[in-house]
Amino acid sequence: QVQLVESGGGLVQAGGSLRLSCAASGLTFSNYRMGWFRQAPGKEREFVAAISQGGVKRYYADSVKGRLTISRDNAKNTVYLQMNSLKAEDTAVYYCAADFIYSDEAFAKEYEYDYWGQGTQVTVSS
């Protein structure tokens, strides 16, 4: 049974930082590209960042480039999202997802991902 469990969310002031973690179990973690998505109230879920199986390739949404950093530790079966210079518009539920890679180009597409976590709330106060 595959499980992805996010943690690290919370309430932070604008300009502050948070580090999200996503612990994976029940799969061969190093075989999966990992992604972070988010869903703000009243909006559709959107792509945030993704990282290749070995961590060499990283992809970001334009809205987070330079502020958020995705990384992974395959020995710990964990993917991270370091969030700096947070803005009110970063407020959302953040989800991690695992992708066995059917398309190299579809890293930002929800349908590409096979497994999802339950999400963790990030609230940025202005």
Side-chain angles (χ1 to χ4, degrees):
Q1 179 184 356
V2 175
Q3 282 193 311
L4 302 177
V5 180
E6 301 97 335
S7 61
L11 174 64
V12 64
Q13 289 187 334
S17 298
L18 281 175
R19 188 195 196 202
L20 305 184
S21 300
C22 172
S25 61
L27 52 72
T28 303
F29 183 72
S30 58
N31 287 350
Y32 286 78
R33 179 166 62 195
M34 297 300 295
W36 285 97
F37 290 74
R38 67 187 181 186
Q39 187 167 21
K43 295 187 177 181
E44 294 186 351
R45 190 155 56 183
E46 64 176 2
F47 169 75
V48 175
I51 187 167
S52 62
Q53 298 96 315
V56 174
K57 296 181 181 179
R58 307 183 191 200
Y59 313 89
Y60 296 96
D62 289 342
S63 59
V64 307
K65 281 181 182 176
R67 300 187 300 115
L68 275 57
T69 303
I70 189 170
S71 62
R72 68 190 293 162
D73 185 338
N74 285 349
K76 295 183 179 179
N77 287 2
T78 301
V79 61
Y80 304 97
L81 187 67
Q82 178 66 42
M83 309 170 70
N84 298 330
S85 302
L86 283 163
K87 305 175 181 180
E89 50 263 44
D90 293 317
T91 294
V93 177
Y94 284 72
Y95 300 89
C96 73
D99 168 21
F100 195 67
I101 301 188
Y102 300 99
S103 168
D104 286 344
E105 305 301 319
F107 57 84
K109 304 297 185 182
E110 288 188 54
Y111 62 72
E112 174 72 6
Y113 290 80
D114 303 286
Y115 304 105
W116 292 82
Q118 82 290 348
T120 186
Q121 176 70 47
V122 171
T123 302
V124 183
S125 62
S126 57

